[in-house]
């Protein structure tokens, strides 16, 4: 292993690239503000049990994908593979449900899953998630879809579709589970090992299996939407009614179950036509039992997470990402010695006014400094010549029109005005 290579499935975000992330982060803040979601930040690692209980023991994430280790105090710790269970833990621990409901929170940050890396699938990736806790209003399910769609639209993304399903509540699911077991049992020899293992423990997980031979069997499996209880069917009908009212198009997908045990009722995913096999640019659903499972009061909740890496990939393939690259306000050209001392002082003062100012650290010739100012696309060049300094002046050159003027150095107000920012 070379010291210069990063771990598999991780990415460096370098200058030129990071600006795109920053722009997206700004857009996330604007959209969350409009929907009244406030940011919450949780640790990047939690007690392993939170995910075992929250996500479910018989899920791919818990069985195969978690970064779990014992810390020096022999506690089992897991790098968070997702943000919903940690947010719920923080909601309970900080008593965030004690005020007016619903509580609307969002998070943004790295998640970790030991998956087989490929384009759009990483071992460290970033999610932006939004969660509304304390209400079972189907309109909140629709807002959990509308908010990320607004983000996708604000970014200029096109060619994405919403997949929608309801997987019911524990009551309507118990009879459905029996039907699934009855359906799969005769096929048990043709199922993959993991499906065979889960057949009796958690038969709904079989619907999520990506193995081709299992997929062929799953095609004929009974669908949950035909087994919803009255309340769940009614809730799902209202979700669809609100979606129609808000003119949000969706595809009903009775096979969509998603890979977490905490979901109840509505589940959804957004897929992009720009991405190959890893085409989900986000997903979510209602999880009315999770808060109680983690140790809180019964609290209905619904949320969604955007895969930020995949969103950026989709935007890139549609040429929707542009870095606004503006150069420094001024490049200070000096001749070394005293002139460098003076340039350093002026740079310090201008930077104190919030201006981006550059100067030479490589003992470049004046010609090379001018070249560097051009390369950086500096708006102005300030020339600190011996003669000007004797008069306590500096030559200010506008790099766009070439106009030059001498400005007194004891008048920083005039200098900052020329450079385009009012003095503090
Ligand atoms: P998820 O579907 O596992 O849901 O992840 C949401 C999104 O994160 C995916 O649609 C995908 O865009 C991105 N993602 C997942 N795994 C990777 C990976 N290995 N590499 C790159 N991107 C990835 C959740 O995590 C739920 N917590 C969502 C939720 C919030 N449900 C309710 N509230």
């Amino acid at each position: 292993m070379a010291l210069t290579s990063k771990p598999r499935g991780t990415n460096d975000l370098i200058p030129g690239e990071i600006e795109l992330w920053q722009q997206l982060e700004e857009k996330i803040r604007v959209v969350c503000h409009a929907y009244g979601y406030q940011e919450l930040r949780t640790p990047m690692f939690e007690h392993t049990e939170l995910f075992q209980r929250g996500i479910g023991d018989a899920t791919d994430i818990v069985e195969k994908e978690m970064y779990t280790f014992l810390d020096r105090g022999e506690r089992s710790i897991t790098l968070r593979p997702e943000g919903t269970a940690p947010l719920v833990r923080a909601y309970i621990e900080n008593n965030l449900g004690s005020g007016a409901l619903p509580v609307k929170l969002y998070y943004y940050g790295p998640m970790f899953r030991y998956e087989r890396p490929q384009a759009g699938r990483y071992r460290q990736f970033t999610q932006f998630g939004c969660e509304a806790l304390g209400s079972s209003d189907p309109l909140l399910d629709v807002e959990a879809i509308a908010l990320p769609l607004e983000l996708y639209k604000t970014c200029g993304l096109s060619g994405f579709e919403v997949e929608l399903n309801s997987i019911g509540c524990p009551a309507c699911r118990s009879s459905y589970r029996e039907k699934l077991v009855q359906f799969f049992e005769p096929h048990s020899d043709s199922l993959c090992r993991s499906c065979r293992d889960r057949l009796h423990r958690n038969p709904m997980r079989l619907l999520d299996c990506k193995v081709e031979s299992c997929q062929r069997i799953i095609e004929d499996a009974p669908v949950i939407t035909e087994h919803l209880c009255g309340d769940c069917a009614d809730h799902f009908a209202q979700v669809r009614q609100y979606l129609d009212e808000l003119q949000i198009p969706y595809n009903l997908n009775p096979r969509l179950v998603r890979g977490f045990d905490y979901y109840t009722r509505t589940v959804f995913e957004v897929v992009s036509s720009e991405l190959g096999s890893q085409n989900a640019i986000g997903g979510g659903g209602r999880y009315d039992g999770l808060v109680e499972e983690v140790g809180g009061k019964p609290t209905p909740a619904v949320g969604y997470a955007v895969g930020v890496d995949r969103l950026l990939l989709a935007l890139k393939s549609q040429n929707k990402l542009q870095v606004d690259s503006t150069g420094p306000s001024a490049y200070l050209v000096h001749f070394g010695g005293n002139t460098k001392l003076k340039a350093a002082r002026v740079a310090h003062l201008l930077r104190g006014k919030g201006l981006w100012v550059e100067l030479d650290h490589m003992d470049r010739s004046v010609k090379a400094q001018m070249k560097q100012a051009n390369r950086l696309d500096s708006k102005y060049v300030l020339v600190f010549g011996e003669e000007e300094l004797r008069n306590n002046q500096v030559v200010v050159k506008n790099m766009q029109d070439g106009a030059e003027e001498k400005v007194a150095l004891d008048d920083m107000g005039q200098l900052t005005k020329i450079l385009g920012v009012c003095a503090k």
Side-chain angles (χ1 to χ4, degrees):
M1 177 208 56
L3 287 183
T4 46
S5 54
K6 54 189 169 1
R8 271 193 85 203
T10 63
N11 291 301
D12 296 317
L13 301 178
I14 58 175
E17 170 92 3
I18 194 75
E19 292 79 3
L20 305 171
W21 288 73
Q22 289 165 344
Q23 282 172 22
L24 183 61
E25 287 159 21
E26 192 45 45
K27 290 192 170 99
I28 288 172
R29 279 194 193 99
V30 172
V31 175
C32 284
H33 176 73
Y35 279 81
Y37 282 69
Q38 291 178 301
E39 186 175 4
L40 180 128
R41 296 184 193 187
T42 64
M44 278 183 224
F45 57 84
E46 297 276 353
H47 297 296
T48 302
E49 210 188 333
L50 174 69
F51 300 113
Q52 288 169 333
R53 293 272 296 277
I55 298 175
D57 270 331
T59 57
D60 276 357
I61 293 185
V62 171
E63 278 187 346
K64 306 177 197 162
E65 296 172 2
M66 295 206 303
Y67 278 92
T68 298
F69 55 93
L70 286 182
D71 72 6
R72 286 173 191 274
E74 301 284 304
R75 298 169 203 91
S76 181
I77 293 292
T78 293
L79 299 185
R80 60 179 184 195
E82 60 106 45
T84 308
L87 180 134
V88 163
R89 197 263 315 131
Y91 172 86
I92 301 167
E93 195 165 354
N94 296 285
N95 205 15
L96 298 181
S98 60
L101 298 175
V103 175
K104 300 194 281 186
L105 300 164
Y106 79 92
Y107 52 88
Y108 175 94
M111 307 292 157
F112 307 86
R113 293 184 194 172
Y114 192 79
E115 293 196 80
R116 202 165 38 80
Q118 62 182 85
R121 185 161 72 193
Y122 311 111
R123 291 183 174 168
Q124 179 179 328
F125 58 98
T126 299
Q127 278 187 351
F128 149 60
C130 53
E131 318 280 353
L133 301 103
S135 165
S136 53
D137 185 1
L139 180 54
L140 277 177
D141 303 43
V142 171
E143 279 192 15
I145 300 172
L147 188 161
L149 291 193
E150 191 57 43
L151 177 70
Y152 298 145
K153 263 200 287 181
T154 312
C155 295
L157 188 73
S158 54
F160 55 84
E161 291 187 10
V162 178
E163 302 281 305
L164 182 75
N165 192 20
S166 172
I167 56 167
C169 64
C172 44
R173 248 183 278 169
S174 68
S175 67
Y176 177 61
R177 274 163 180 256
E178 276 171 35
K179 293 226 161 47
L180 277 182
V181 175
Q182 280 167 18
F183 169 82
F184 281 116
E185 258 175 347
H187 299 282
S188 113
D189 288 347
S190 319
L191 293 171
C192 72
R193 227 180 85 185
S194 145
C195 282
R196 267 203 308 274
D197 283 354
R198 291 169 180 176
L199 178 55
H200 292 277
R201 275 195 299 152
N202 197 343
M204 279 185 71
R205 288 270 63 84
L206 271 63
L207 301 172
D208 212 28
C209 181
K210 303 285 179 289
V211 175
E212 217 187 303
S213 51
C214 296
Q215 283 276 324
R216 281 198 295 274
I217 301 169
I218 294 164
E219 268 171 28
D220 299 321
V223 291
I224 176 78
T225 27
E226 282 163 20
H227 297 85
L228 294 180
C229 65
D231 283 353
C232 289
D234 183 46
H235 191 272
F236 193 39
Q238 288 186 59
V239 168
R240 295 190 320 258
Q241 194 184 4
Y242 281 120
L243 283 168
D244 294 339
E245 187 62 32
L246 271 57
Q247 298 185 343
I248 297 175
Y250 55 89
N251 306 319
L252 286 176
N253 178 354
R255 305 259 167 237
L256 181 69
V257 283
R258 306 220 355 101
F260 302 83
D261 282 354
Y262 54 59
Y263 287 123
T264 51
R265 297 188 164 177
T266 329
V267 287
F268 32 86
E269 220 158 69
V270 176
V271 290
S272 161
S273 53
E274 290 300 332
L275 304 172
S277 59
Q278 305 305 311
N279 63 351
I281 49 172
R286 180 161 279 287
Y287 49 95
D288 290 344
L290 182 59
V291 178
E292 205 178 351
E293 182 71 42
V294 172
K297 287 192 293 216
T299 308
V302 62
Y304 184 94
V306 171
V308 176
D309 311 69
R310 287 191 199 168
L311 171 57
L312 286 165
L313 281 178
L315 287 167
K316 257 187 219 160
S317 67
Q318 292 183 351
N319 273 330
K320 291 286 163 45
L321 290 177
Q322 258 131 36
V323 182
D324 322 324
S325 56
T326 48
S329 297
Y331 192 97
L332 277 47
V333 171
H334 60 78
F335 294 75
N338 273 343
T339 67
K340 184 172 178 184
L341 277 177
K342 194 71 185 176
R345 182 172 160 72
V346 172
H348 183 65
L349 291 172
L350 291 174
R351 286 168 177 164
K353 311 256 177 229
L355 288 169
W356 178 13
V357 169
E358 291 290 345
L359 77 169
D360 177 56
H361 299 285
M362 308 301 292
D363 292 331
R364 288 185 178 93
S365 67
V366 168
K367 199 174 154 199
Q369 288 181 56
M370 288 303 290
K371 216 167 142 187
Q372 177 67 358
N374 266 319
R375 200 179 294 138
L376 289 174
D377 197 21
S378 185
K379 291 184 200 70
Y380 288 89
V381 162
L382 273 50
V383 184
F384 289 75
E386 295 280 3
E387 194 195 317
E388 284 81 25
L389 285 197
R390 270 196 292 280
N391 301 322
N392 207 26
Q393 287 180 321
V394 67
V395 176
V396 178
K397 179 172 178 179
N398 183 325
M399 296 298 276
Q400 229 160 34
D401 58 16
E404 286 187 13
E405 60 181 309
K406 284 188 180 166
V407 177
L409 276 179
D410 43 20
D411 190 356
M412 289 301 289
Q414 201 201 343
L415 197 52
T416 44
K417 210 163 131 195
I418 295 172
L419 301 186
V421 170
C422 297
K424 271 202 280 191

